[in-house]
PDB file of all heavy atoms in Angstrom:
ATOM      1  N   ARG A  96     -21.467  31.533  51.585  1.00  0.00           N
ATOM      2  CA  ARG A  96     -22.538  31.250  50.628  1.00  0.00           C
ATOM      3  C   ARG A  96     -22.368  32.111  49.369  1.00  0.00           C
ATOM      4  O   ARG A  96     -22.593  31.647  48.262  1.00  0.00           O
ATOM      5  CB  ARG A  96     -23.881  31.561  51.286  1.00  0.00           C
ATOM      6  CG  ARG A  96     -24.338  30.441  52.196  1.00  0.00           C
ATOM      7  CD  ARG A  96     -25.347  30.952  53.230  1.00  0.00           C
ATOM      8  NE  ARG A  96     -26.000  29.853  53.917  1.00  0.00           N
ATOM      9  CZ  ARG A  96     -25.388  28.958  54.673  1.00  0.00           C
ATOM     10  NH1 ARG A  96     -24.061  28.990  54.807  1.00  0.00           N
ATOM     11  NH2 ARG A  96     -26.050  28.015  55.282  1.00  0.00           N
ATOM     12  N   ASP A  97     -21.976  33.385  49.555  1.00  0.00           N
ATOM     13  CA  ASP A  97     -21.831  34.246  48.390  1.00  0.00           C
ATOM     14  C   ASP A  97     -20.704  33.754  47.471  1.00  0.00           C
ATOM     15  O   ASP A  97     -20.858  33.739  46.246  1.00  0.00           O
ATOM     16  CB  ASP A  97     -21.545  35.681  48.834  1.00  0.00           C
ATOM     17  CG  ASP A  97     -22.841  36.412  49.202  1.00  0.00           C
ATOM     18  OD1 ASP A  97     -23.861  36.100  48.574  1.00  0.00           O
ATOM     19  OD2 ASP A  97     -22.801  37.255  50.105  1.00  0.00           O
ATOM     20  N   GLY A 318     -23.299   5.029   7.148  1.00  0.00           N
ATOM     21  CA  GLY A 318     -24.425   5.932   6.962  1.00  0.00           C
ATOM     22  C   GLY A 318     -24.028   7.404   7.010  1.00  0.00           C
ATOM     23  O   GLY A 318     -24.589   8.172   7.793  1.00  0.00           O
ATOM     24  N   THR A 343     -41.346  23.701  35.453  1.00  0.00           N
ATOM     25  CA  THR A 343     -41.821  23.969  36.816  1.00  0.00           C
ATOM     26  C   THR A 343     -42.216  25.433  37.009  1.00  0.00           C
ATOM     27  O   THR A 343     -42.572  25.816  38.135  1.00  0.00           O
ATOM     28  CB  THR A 343     -40.781  23.612  37.868  1.00  0.00           C
ATOM     29  OG1 THR A 343     -39.633  24.430  37.681  1.00  0.00           O
ATOM     30  CG2 THR A 343     -40.381  22.152  37.777  1.00  0.00           C
ATOM     31  N   THR A 344     -42.135  26.265  35.958  1.00  0.00           N
ATOM     32  CA  THR A 344     -42.581  27.632  36.134  1.00  0.00           C
ATOM     33  C   THR A 344     -44.100  27.698  36.176  1.00  0.00           C
ATOM     34  O   THR A 344     -44.646  28.725  36.557  1.00  0.00           O
ATOM     35  CB  THR A 344     -42.127  28.532  34.988  1.00  0.00           C
ATOM     36  OG1 THR A 344     -42.636  27.973  33.766  1.00  0.00           O
ATOM     37  CG2 THR A 344     -40.628  28.637  34.921  1.00  0.00           C
ATOM     38  N   GLY A 345     -44.785  26.623  35.749  1.00  0.00           N
ATOM     39  CA  GLY A 345     -46.233  26.659  35.698  1.00  0.00           C
ATOM     40  C   GLY A 345     -46.785  27.466  34.550  1.00  0.00           C
ATOM     41  O   GLY A 345     -47.964  27.733  34.474  1.00  0.00           O
ATOM     42  N   HIS A 350     -47.185  19.168  27.769  1.00  0.00           N
ATOM     43  CA  HIS A 350     -47.305  18.044  26.821  1.00  0.00           C
ATOM     44  C   HIS A 350     -46.500  18.303  25.554  1.00  0.00           C
ATOM     45  O   HIS A 350     -45.767  17.425  25.078  1.00  0.00           O
ATOM     46  CB  HIS A 350     -48.765  17.813  26.451  1.00  0.00           C
ATOM     47  CG  HIS A 350     -49.663  17.577  27.618  1.00  0.00           C
ATOM     48  ND1 HIS A 350     -50.258  18.610  28.318  1.00  0.00           N
ATOM     49  CD2 HIS A 350     -50.095  16.452  28.192  1.00  0.00           C
ATOM     50  CE1 HIS A 350     -50.994  18.115  29.294  1.00  0.00           C
ATOM     51  NE2 HIS A 350     -50.914  16.784  29.249  1.00  0.00           N
ATOM     52  N   ASN A 369     -25.135   4.418  14.252  1.00  0.00           N
ATOM     53  CA  ASN A 369     -24.199   4.540  13.145  1.00  0.00           C
ATOM     54  C   ASN A 369     -22.766   4.389  13.625  1.00  0.00           C
ATOM     55  O   ASN A 369     -21.944   3.732  12.973  1.00  0.00           O
ATOM     56  CB  ASN A 369     -24.369   5.881  12.435  1.00  0.00           C
ATOM     57  CG  ASN A 369     -25.516   5.858  11.440  1.00  0.00           C
ATOM     58  OD1 ASN A 369     -25.893   4.802  10.940  1.00  0.00           O
ATOM     59  ND2 ASN A 369     -26.085   7.008  11.180  1.00  0.00           N
ATOM     60  N   LYS A 378     -11.298  -3.375  11.907  1.00  0.00           N
ATOM     61  CA  LYS A 378     -10.087  -3.829  12.563  1.00  0.00           C
ATOM     62  C   LYS A 378      -9.655  -2.723  13.509  1.00  0.00           C
ATOM     63  O   LYS A 378      -8.878  -1.838  13.154  1.00  0.00           O
ATOM     64  CB  LYS A 378      -9.005  -4.115  11.541  1.00  0.00           C
ATOM     65  CG  LYS A 378      -9.319  -5.287  10.635  1.00  0.00           C
ATOM     66  CD  LYS A 378      -8.183  -5.588   9.726  1.00  0.00           C
ATOM     67  CE  LYS A 378      -8.461  -6.862   8.919  1.00  0.00           C
ATOM     68  NZ  LYS A 378      -7.357  -7.143   7.968  1.00  0.00           N
ATOM     69  N   ILE A 379     -10.234  -2.788  14.714  1.00  0.00           N
ATOM     70  CA  ILE A 379     -10.173  -1.639  15.602  1.00  0.00           C
ATOM     71  C   ILE A 379      -8.816  -1.560  16.297  1.00  0.00           C
ATOM     72  O   ILE A 379      -8.319  -2.549  16.842  1.00  0.00           O
ATOM     73  CB  ILE A 379     -11.287  -1.685  16.646  1.00  0.00           C
ATOM     74  CG1 ILE A 379     -12.634  -1.638  15.919  1.00  0.00           C
ATOM     75  CG2 ILE A 379     -11.174  -0.530  17.621  1.00  0.00           C
ATOM     76  CD1 ILE A 379     -13.792  -1.983  16.796  1.00  0.00           C
ATOM     77  N   GLU A 380      -8.255  -0.367  16.224  1.00  0.00           N
ATOM     78  CA  GLU A 380      -6.961  -0.141  16.856  1.00  0.00           C
ATOM     79  C   GLU A 380      -7.199   0.768  18.049  1.00  0.00           C
ATOM     80  O   GLU A 380      -7.732   1.864  17.907  1.00  0.00           O
ATOM     81  CB  GLU A 380      -6.024   0.509  15.859  1.00  0.00           C
ATOM     82  CG  GLU A 380      -4.609   0.510  16.335  1.00  0.00           C
ATOM     83  CD  GLU A 380      -3.673   0.922  15.194  1.00  0.00           C
ATOM     84  OE1 GLU A 380      -4.171   1.236  14.101  1.00  0.00           O
ATOM     85  OE2 GLU A 380      -2.474   0.912  15.424  1.00  0.00           O
ATOM     86  N   PHE A 381      -6.800   0.320  19.241  1.00  0.00           N
ATOM     87  CA  PHE A 381      -7.096   1.092  20.458  1.00  0.00           C
ATOM     88  C   PHE A 381      -6.025   2.135  20.736  1.00  0.00           C
ATOM     89  O   PHE A 381      -5.281   2.037  21.699  1.00  0.00           O
ATOM     90  CB  PHE A 381      -7.292   0.175  21.666  1.00  0.00           C
ATOM     91  CG  PHE A 381      -8.519  -0.686  21.534  1.00  0.00           C
ATOM     92  CD1 PHE A 381      -8.399  -2.039  21.283  1.00  0.00           C
ATOM     93  CD2 PHE A 381      -9.761  -0.120  21.619  1.00  0.00           C
ATOM     94  CE1 PHE A 381      -9.527  -2.829  21.144  1.00  0.00           C
ATOM     95  CE2 PHE A 381     -10.894  -0.894  21.495  1.00  0.00           C
ATOM     96  CZ  PHE A 381     -10.772  -2.243  21.247  1.00  0.00           C
ATOM     97  N   MET A 393     -19.797   6.039  25.319  1.00  0.00           N
ATOM     98  CA  MET A 393     -20.376   5.421  26.505  1.00  0.00           C
ATOM     99  C   MET A 393     -20.935   6.476  27.469  1.00  0.00           C
ATOM    100  O   MET A 393     -22.013   6.298  28.032  1.00  0.00           O
ATOM    101  CB  MET A 393     -19.325   4.569  27.182  1.00  0.00           C
ATOM    102  CG  MET A 393     -18.694   3.586  26.211  1.00  0.00           C
ATOM    103  SD  MET A 393     -17.804   2.297  27.022  1.00  0.00           S
ATOM    104  CE  MET A 393     -19.088   1.535  27.945  1.00  0.00           C
ATOM    105  N   SER A 413     -40.100  16.417  39.553  1.00  0.00           N
ATOM    106  CA  SER A 413     -39.315  15.969  40.694  1.00  0.00           C
ATOM    107  C   SER A 413     -37.815  16.209  40.480  1.00  0.00           C
ATOM    108  O   SER A 413     -37.110  16.545  41.436  1.00  0.00           O
ATOM    109  CB  SER A 413     -39.622  14.473  40.910  1.00  0.00           C
ATOM    110  OG  SER A 413     -38.472  13.738  41.151  1.00  0.00           O
ATOM    111  N   HIS A 415     -36.169  18.398  38.266  1.00  0.00           N
ATOM    112  CA  HIS A 415     -35.686  19.725  37.886  1.00  0.00           C
ATOM    113  C   HIS A 415     -34.976  20.406  39.027  1.00  0.00           C
ATOM    114  O   HIS A 415     -35.418  20.341  40.179  1.00  0.00           O
ATOM    115  CB  HIS A 415     -36.898  20.563  37.431  1.00  0.00           C
ATOM    116  CG  HIS A 415     -36.540  21.966  37.030  1.00  0.00           C
ATOM    117  ND1 HIS A 415     -35.856  22.233  35.864  1.00  0.00           N
ATOM    118  CD2 HIS A 415     -36.709  23.159  37.640  1.00  0.00           C
ATOM    119  CE1 HIS A 415     -35.663  23.526  35.772  1.00  0.00           C
ATOM    120  NE2 HIS A 415     -36.158  24.118  36.848  1.00  0.00           N
ATOM    121  N   THR A 577     -18.805  -1.204  -0.469  1.00  0.00           N
ATOM    122  CA  THR A 577     -20.055  -1.967  -0.463  1.00  0.00           C
ATOM    123  C   THR A 577     -21.097  -1.211   0.378  1.00  0.00           C
ATOM    124  O   THR A 577     -20.762  -0.256   1.064  1.00  0.00           O
ATOM    125  CB  THR A 577     -19.863  -3.375   0.150  1.00  0.00           C
ATOM    126  OG1 THR A 577     -19.457  -3.182   1.515  1.00  0.00           O
ATOM    127  CG2 THR A 577     -18.845  -4.159  -0.604  1.00  0.00           C
ATOM    128  N   ASP A 579     -25.026   0.669   1.057  1.00  0.00           N
ATOM    129  CA  ASP A 579     -25.682   1.881   0.521  1.00  0.00           C
ATOM    130  C   ASP A 579     -24.858   3.093   0.865  1.00  0.00           C
ATOM    131  O   ASP A 579     -24.485   3.303   2.021  1.00  0.00           O
ATOM    132  CB  ASP A 579     -27.080   2.016   1.129  1.00  0.00           C
ATOM    133  CG  ASP A 579     -27.926   0.812   0.817  1.00  0.00           C
ATOM    134  OD1 ASP A 579     -27.751   0.239  -0.278  1.00  0.00           O
ATOM    135  OD2 ASP A 579     -28.752   0.447   1.674  1.00  0.00           O
TER     136      ASP A 579
ATOM    137  N   ARG B   7       1.726   2.515   9.984  1.00  0.00           N
ATOM    138  CA  ARG B   7       1.249   2.735  11.337  1.00  0.00           C
ATOM    139  C   ARG B   7       1.129   1.405  12.070  1.00  0.00           C
ATOM    140  O   ARG B   7       0.524   0.459  11.610  1.00  0.00           O
ATOM    141  CB  ARG B   7      -0.094   3.469  11.319  1.00  0.00           C
ATOM    142  CG  ARG B   7      -1.151   2.624  10.768  1.00  0.00           C
ATOM    143  CD  ARG B   7      -2.419   3.251  10.447  1.00  0.00           C
ATOM    144  NE  ARG B   7      -3.113   2.228   9.704  1.00  0.00           N
ATOM    145  CZ  ARG B   7      -3.740   1.231  10.298  1.00  0.00           C
ATOM    146  NH1 ARG B   7      -3.810   1.167  11.592  1.00  0.00           N
ATOM    147  NH2 ARG B   7      -4.328   0.311   9.572  1.00  0.00           N
ATOM    148  N   ASN B  12      -1.671  -3.124  20.881  1.00  0.00           N
ATOM    149  CA  ASN B  12      -3.050  -2.894  20.513  1.00  0.00           C
ATOM    150  C   ASN B  12      -3.872  -3.747  21.445  1.00  0.00           C
ATOM    151  O   ASN B  12      -4.339  -4.820  21.143  1.00  0.00           O
ATOM    152  CB  ASN B  12      -3.303  -3.273  19.073  1.00  0.00           C
ATOM    153  CG  ASN B  12      -4.715  -2.884  18.683  1.00  0.00           C
ATOM    154  OD1 ASN B  12      -5.139  -1.814  19.058  1.00  0.00           O
ATOM    155  ND2 ASN B  12      -5.407  -3.736  17.986  1.00  0.00           N
ATOM    156  N   PHE B  21     -15.189  -1.495  30.537  1.00  0.00           N
ATOM    157  CA  PHE B  21     -16.589  -1.766  30.214  1.00  0.00           C
ATOM    158  C   PHE B  21     -17.196  -2.644  31.288  1.00  0.00           C
ATOM    159  O   PHE B  21     -18.325  -2.437  31.717  1.00  0.00           O
ATOM    160  CB  PHE B  21     -16.696  -2.389  28.829  1.00  0.00           C
ATOM    161  CG  PHE B  21     -16.239  -1.460  27.732  1.00  0.00           C
ATOM    162  CD1 PHE B  21     -15.856  -1.943  26.495  1.00  0.00           C
ATOM    163  CD2 PHE B  21     -16.176  -0.099  27.942  1.00  0.00           C
ATOM    164  CE1 PHE B  21     -15.459  -1.098  25.490  1.00  0.00           C
ATOM    165  CE2 PHE B  21     -15.768   0.776  26.943  1.00  0.00           C
ATOM    166  CZ  PHE B  21     -15.402   0.248  25.698  1.00  0.00           C
ATOM    167  N   GLN B  37     -36.081   6.985  43.409  1.00  0.00           N
ATOM    168  CA  GLN B  37     -36.558   8.210  44.033  1.00  0.00           C
ATOM    169  C   GLN B  37     -37.052   7.831  45.410  1.00  0.00           C
ATOM    170  O   GLN B  37     -37.329   6.666  45.666  1.00  0.00           O
ATOM    171  CB  GLN B  37     -37.658   8.802  43.174  1.00  0.00           C
ATOM    172  CG  GLN B  37     -37.174   9.243  41.841  1.00  0.00           C
ATOM    173  CD  GLN B  37     -38.278   9.878  41.034  1.00  0.00           C
ATOM    174  OE1 GLN B  37     -39.274   9.260  40.727  1.00  0.00           O
ATOM    175  NE2 GLN B  37     -38.092  11.141  40.715  1.00  0.00           N
ATOM    176  N   PHE B  77     -14.144  -6.908  17.196  1.00  0.00           N
ATOM    177  CA  PHE B  77     -13.525  -6.501  15.945  1.00  0.00           C
ATOM    178  C   PHE B  77     -12.234  -5.726  16.150  1.00  0.00           C
ATOM    179  O   PHE B  77     -11.892  -4.864  15.356  1.00  0.00           O
ATOM    180  CB  PHE B  77     -14.541  -5.698  15.107  1.00  0.00           C
ATOM    181  CG  PHE B  77     -15.750  -6.483  14.737  1.00  0.00           C
ATOM    182  CD1 PHE B  77     -16.982  -6.204  15.311  1.00  0.00           C
ATOM    183  CD2 PHE B  77     -15.654  -7.542  13.849  1.00  0.00           C
ATOM    184  CE1 PHE B  77     -18.095  -6.953  15.009  1.00  0.00           C
ATOM    185  CE2 PHE B  77     -16.772  -8.292  13.527  1.00  0.00           C
ATOM    186  CZ  PHE B  77     -18.000  -7.995  14.099  1.00  0.00           C
ATOM    187  N   ARG B  79      -8.226  -5.192  16.105  1.00  0.00           N
ATOM    188  CA  ARG B  79      -7.213  -5.719  15.167  1.00  0.00           C
ATOM    189  C   ARG B  79      -6.405  -6.789  15.864  1.00  0.00           C
ATOM    190  O   ARG B  79      -5.895  -6.596  16.948  1.00  0.00           O
ATOM    191  CB  ARG B  79      -6.309  -4.589  14.694  1.00  0.00           C
ATOM    192  CG  ARG B  79      -5.651  -4.901  13.366  1.00  0.00           C
ATOM    193  CD  ARG B  79      -4.569  -3.909  13.029  1.00  0.00           C
ATOM    194  NE  ARG B  79      -3.486  -4.048  13.994  1.00  0.00           N
ATOM    195  CZ  ARG B  79      -2.680  -3.050  14.319  1.00  0.00           C
ATOM    196  NH1 ARG B  79      -2.847  -1.849  13.803  1.00  0.00           N
ATOM    197  NH2 ARG B  79      -1.689  -3.236  15.165  1.00  0.00           N
ATOM    198  N   ASP B  83      -2.647  -9.735  12.203  1.00  0.00           N
ATOM    199  CA  ASP B  83      -3.361  -9.052  11.131  1.00  0.00           C
ATOM    200  C   ASP B  83      -2.466  -8.868   9.906  1.00  0.00           C
ATOM    201  O   ASP B  83      -1.278  -8.562  10.023  1.00  0.00           O
ATOM    202  CB  ASP B  83      -3.819  -7.676  11.644  1.00  0.00           C
ATOM    203  CG  ASP B  83      -4.633  -6.959  10.599  1.00  0.00           C
ATOM    204  OD1 ASP B  83      -5.662  -7.513  10.169  1.00  0.00           O
ATOM    205  OD2 ASP B  83      -4.243  -5.842  10.210  1.00  0.00           O
ATOM    206  N   HIS B  92     -20.435   1.069   3.518  1.00  0.00           N
ATOM    207  CA  HIS B  92     -20.763   2.489   3.657  1.00  0.00           C
ATOM    208  C   HIS B  92     -22.100   2.739   4.348  1.00  0.00           C
ATOM    209  O   HIS B  92     -22.361   3.858   4.766  1.00  0.00           O
ATOM    210  CB  HIS B  92     -20.757   3.177   2.283  1.00  0.00           C
ATOM    211  CG  HIS B  92     -19.378   3.469   1.794  1.00  0.00           C
ATOM    212  ND1 HIS B  92     -18.787   4.687   1.979  1.00  0.00           N
ATOM    213  CD2 HIS B  92     -18.455   2.699   1.184  1.00  0.00           C
ATOM    214  CE1 HIS B  92     -17.554   4.658   1.483  1.00  0.00           C
ATOM    215  NE2 HIS B  92     -17.339   3.451   0.994  1.00  0.00           N
ATOM    216  N   GLY B  93     -22.916   1.741   4.450  1.00  0.00           N
ATOM    217  CA  GLY B  93     -24.197   1.980   5.105  1.00  0.00           C
ATOM    218  C   GLY B  93     -25.241   0.993   4.642  1.00  0.00           C
ATOM    219  O   GLY B  93     -24.969   0.147   3.791  1.00  0.00           O
ATOM    220  N   ASN B  95     -29.515   1.313   4.117  1.00  0.00           N
ATOM    221  CA  ASN B  95     -30.685   2.160   4.310  1.00  0.00           C
ATOM    222  C   ASN B  95     -31.790   1.457   5.089  1.00  0.00           C
ATOM    223  O   ASN B  95     -32.519   2.080   5.831  1.00  0.00           O
ATOM    224  CB  ASN B  95     -31.226   2.633   2.960  1.00  0.00           C
ATOM    225  CG  ASN B  95     -30.276   3.606   2.301  1.00  0.00           C
ATOM    226  OD1 ASN B  95     -29.415   4.186   2.989  1.00  0.00           O
ATOM    227  ND2 ASN B  95     -30.381   3.766   1.007  1.00  0.00           N
ATOM    228  N   GLU B  98     -30.887   1.738   8.679  1.00  0.00           N
ATOM    229  CA  GLU B  98     -31.140   3.116   9.143  1.00  0.00           C
ATOM    230  C   GLU B  98     -32.620   3.293   9.436  1.00  0.00           C
ATOM    231  O   GLU B  98     -32.983   3.896  10.451  1.00  0.00           O
ATOM    232  CB  GLU B  98     -30.704   4.157   8.084  1.00  0.00           C
ATOM    233  CG  GLU B  98     -29.227   4.132   7.718  1.00  0.00           C
ATOM    234  CD  GLU B  98     -28.321   4.703   8.796  1.00  0.00           C
ATOM    235  OE1 GLU B  98     -28.810   5.273   9.763  1.00  0.00           O
ATOM    236  OE2 GLU B  98     -27.079   4.537   8.649  1.00  0.00           O
ATOM    237  N   ASN B 121     -51.193  14.711  33.009  1.00  0.00           N
ATOM    238  CA  ASN B 121     -52.599  14.998  33.347  1.00  0.00           C
ATOM    239  C   ASN B 121     -52.883  14.723  34.808  1.00  0.00           C
ATOM    240  O   ASN B 121     -53.606  15.479  35.468  1.00  0.00           O
ATOM    241  CB  ASN B 121     -53.528  14.161  32.451  1.00  0.00           C
ATOM    242  CG  ASN B 121     -53.520  14.688  31.029  1.00  0.00           C
ATOM    243  OD1 ASN B 121     -53.050  15.792  30.783  1.00  0.00           O
ATOM    244  ND2 ASN B 121     -54.036  13.887  30.114  1.00  0.00           N
ATOM    245  N   LYS B 221     -42.348  19.734  42.382  1.00  0.00           N
ATOM    246  CA  LYS B 221     -42.028  21.111  42.795  1.00  0.00           C
ATOM    247  C   LYS B 221     -42.712  22.059  41.811  1.00  0.00           C
ATOM    248  O   LYS B 221     -43.051  21.685  40.678  1.00  0.00           O
ATOM    249  CB  LYS B 221     -40.512  21.337  42.791  1.00  0.00           C
ATOM    250  CG  LYS B 221     -39.860  21.325  41.420  1.00  0.00           C
ATOM    251  CD  LYS B 221     -38.408  21.723  41.476  1.00  0.00           C
ATOM    252  CE  LYS B 221     -37.524  20.705  42.127  1.00  0.00           C
ATOM    253  NZ  LYS B 221     -37.420  19.429  41.378  1.00  0.00           N
ATOM    254  N   ASP B 223     -42.673  26.447  40.826  1.00  0.00           N
ATOM    255  CA  ASP B 223     -42.050  27.747  41.126  1.00  0.00           C
ATOM    256  C   ASP B 223     -43.056  28.727  41.656  1.00  0.00           C
ATOM    257  O   ASP B 223     -44.230  28.733  41.243  1.00  0.00           O
ATOM    258  CB  ASP B 223     -41.405  28.339  39.852  1.00  0.00           C
ATOM    259  CG  ASP B 223     -40.235  27.521  39.357  1.00  0.00           C
ATOM    260  OD1 ASP B 223     -39.870  26.537  40.050  1.00  0.00           O
ATOM    261  OD2 ASP B 223     -39.673  27.851  38.295  1.00  0.00           O
ATOM    262  N   ASN B 230     -49.202  30.493  40.981  1.00  0.00           N
ATOM    263  CA  ASN B 230     -49.235  29.111  40.518  1.00  0.00           C
ATOM    264  C   ASN B 230     -49.983  28.272  41.563  1.00  0.00           C
ATOM    265  O   ASN B 230     -49.932  28.553  42.749  1.00  0.00           O
ATOM    266  CB  ASN B 230     -47.822  28.563  40.391  1.00  0.00           C
ATOM    267  CG  ASN B 230     -47.194  28.964  39.080  1.00  0.00           C
ATOM    268  OD1 ASN B 230     -47.895  29.205  38.088  1.00  0.00           O
ATOM    269  ND2 ASN B 230     -45.879  29.053  39.046  1.00  0.00           N
ATOM    270  N   THR B 252     -28.314  34.870  48.313  1.00  0.00           N
ATOM    271  CA  THR B 252     -27.269  34.394  49.209  1.00  0.00           C
ATOM    272  C   THR B 252     -27.711  33.183  50.030  1.00  0.00           C
ATOM    273  O   THR B 252     -27.033  32.161  50.059  1.00  0.00           O
ATOM    274  CB  THR B 252     -26.841  35.517  50.148  1.00  0.00           C
ATOM    275  OG1 THR B 252     -26.478  36.641  49.375  1.00  0.00           O
ATOM    276  CG2 THR B 252     -25.696  35.074  51.030  1.00  0.00           C
ATOM    277  N   ASP B 256     -30.714  28.091  52.861  1.00  0.00           N
ATOM    278  CA  ASP B 256     -31.316  28.098  54.195  1.00  0.00           C
ATOM    279  C   ASP B 256     -32.833  28.224  54.151  1.00  0.00           C
ATOM    280  O   ASP B 256     -33.482  28.271  55.168  1.00  0.00           O
ATOM    281  CB  ASP B 256     -30.756  29.272  54.995  1.00  0.00           C
ATOM    282  CG  ASP B 256     -29.234  29.200  55.056  1.00  0.00           C
ATOM    283  OD1 ASP B 256     -28.731  28.088  55.205  1.00  0.00           O
ATOM    284  OD2 ASP B 256     -28.587  30.244  54.911  1.00  0.00           O
TER     285      ASP B 256
END
Side-chain angles (χ1 to χ4, degrees):
Chain A
R96 282 158 167 61
D97 278 327
T343 64
T344 58
H350 304 86
N369 278 335
K378 293 184 174 178
I379 298 168
E380 192 169 4
F381 294 108
M393 307 196 61
S413 136
H415 179 71
T577 63
D579 301 327
Chain B
R7 69 191 169 81
N12 186 42
F21 295 160
Q37 295 182 298
F77 298 109
R79 203 191 66 208
D83 183 58
H92 281 265
N95 291 340
E98 299 287 351
N121 288 346
K221 68 173 70 66
D223 293 356
N230 278 333
T252 305
D256 304 320

